[in-house]
Amino acid sequence: AIGGSFLASTYAGAPWSGARLNITFTDGGGAHTQVLDLSSGSGYIGFVSSTPLQSLDVSLYDSNLTTFPTVQALSLGYAAAAVPEPARPALLLAGLVGLALLKRRAARG
């Protein structure tokens, strides 16, 4: 998973609220692009993938040499491994205990 606050700024560092950004991430399934409209000034966007992320590219949707795409508070995360349900091992254990009890009972009588 990856996410962050994205904005566009001028040479002077002032935010440019009229920008739209192409945000492209690449994973095992290929490249995925999202257009982020910054008419409110900045925006947060995040991506979650079931395969490892390979790259992140941020560019202006409309080319403008006096404006720069900017990323703030970039966050990277890893999906936790699946935790097995306790029901399966518990059922297996209960079945084995049941078989042992049946075998013990058959041996007695």
Side-chain angles (χ1 to χ4, degrees):
I2 190 168
S5 295
F6 298 88
L7 54 99
S9 58
T10 64
Y11 278 120
W16 186 53
S17 61
R20 289 187 297 169
L21 299 177
N22 284 328
I23 302 170
T24 303
F25 80 93
T26 305
D27 63 3
H32 310 277
T33 300
Q34 179 74 35
V35 176
L36 183 60
D37 182 6
L38 299 175
S39 58
S40 64
S42 68
Y44 180 88
I45 193 166
F47 299 102
V48 177
S49 175
S50 59
T51 60
L53 296 174
Q54 299 168 355
S55 68
L56 175 70
D57 180 65
V58 181
S59 61
L60 290 171
Y61 183 82
D62 302 315
S63 180
N64 184 336
L65 297 178
T66 61
T67 307
F68 302 96
T70 307
V71 181
Q72 292 181 333
L74 184 67
S75 298
L76 298 172
Y78 293 99
V83 177
E85 291 291 328
R88 280 194 175 174
L91 284 173
L92 177 62
L93 181 61
L96 292 174
V97 168
L99 287 174
L101 290 174
L102 284 174
K103 185 175 180 180
R104 183 176 178 197
R105 186 176 185 189
R108 281 187 181 178

